[in-house]
Amino acid sequence: MTAGWTPIAEEAERATRVLHPGEPFPPPARRRVLTVANQKGGVGKTTSAVNLAAAMALNGLKVLVVDLDPQGNASTALGVDHRSGTPSVYEALIGEVSLADAAVVSDQSDNLYCVPATIDLAGAEIELVSMTAREGRLKEAISPEALDQIKPDYVFIDCPPSLGLLTVNAMVAAEEVFIPIQCEYYALEGLSQLLSNIELVQGHLNQNLWVSTILLTMYDGRTKLADQVTAEVRRHFGETVLRTVIPRSVKVSEAPGFGQTVLAYDPGSRGALSYLDAAREMAERGAVVEAST
């Protein structure tokens, strides 16, 4: 431990790293559209989507979060109005408004945009069933031409915790799947079902879809179990898993209640720094992957 070290000094140093970034993150050679999916609830899916997006936005990248979960938690965390009647992803899905008209700039960064989800989205799966090309409605709404009006470097589509029609729409609209996995006993339960669904979408609706990124969340270093789950996931998925692991954190859990990401709510927390590191790792990997293709 270095002389002059205190917990407060350490937290201040972390906050400085988050709030006063150095070199901006490298942009991808072409836009990346990622579906954030895991049908198991409570794994840090929405939390990861909004905090990674905020970290990228704070470091020079333009990011769009499409909230496809009727609960609207991503909209809440980004401080975006999602009361019924607000132009939202629901109207974009049924073709009533353009994506650019539904997108709102988050109060947490001028580079961070969100297409909110309102309660109207709750009935969308039933409505979509009778629509033509129902699996491709979101792809149509976030076409390259539509995204060119906003010009994001990254698009994160936050899915509901299910494998229903909304999630299928997200997988058809994206090229990449981002999977958050909780460092808990049941972490891998249901993952095989998610991977099977991804294969079905690949085979029938979107052959370009692939699992590009896995992030381990809610890591508790006090337990052997967390290390066992981490080792198991890395053994199965190799380099797809980010080196950065997100620790279990009260601050991360509290932030949405204040309409903020953890980077805005408590930039000196370990959770904020971990999401910053994960976002940097994603951006660096993305730039290398794109440069080599």
Side-chain angles (χ1 to χ4, degrees), residues 64 92 97-104 113 115 141 145-150:
L64 171 66
V97 301
S98 69
L99 190 75
D101 287 338
V104 180
Y113 291 72
V115 177
E145 296 75 24
L147 289 172
D148 282 344
Q149 293 184 276
I150 302 170

Side-chain angles (χ1 to χ4, degrees), residues 29-97:
R30 61 189 178 91
R31 183 179 296 135
R32 294 179 67 187
V33 182
L34 301 98
T35 287
V36 185
N38 193 330
Q39 79 276 17
K40 188 175 185 298
V43 300
K45 179 180 56 62
T46 298
T47 300
S48 295
V50 297
N51 283 300
L52 289 170
M56 288 180 172
L58 288 170
N59 284 271
L61 298 176
K62 187 176 275 193
V63 188
L64 171 66
V65 176
V66 178
D67 190 352
L68 205 61
D69 186 345
Q71 295 176 80
N73 292 336
S75 307
T76 298
L78 295 176
V80 172
D81 184 13
H82 59 104
R83 290 172 293 185
S84 183
T86 305
S88 69
V89 72
Y90 170 75
E91 284 80 14
L93 276 173
I94 61 175
E96 283 189 1
V97 301

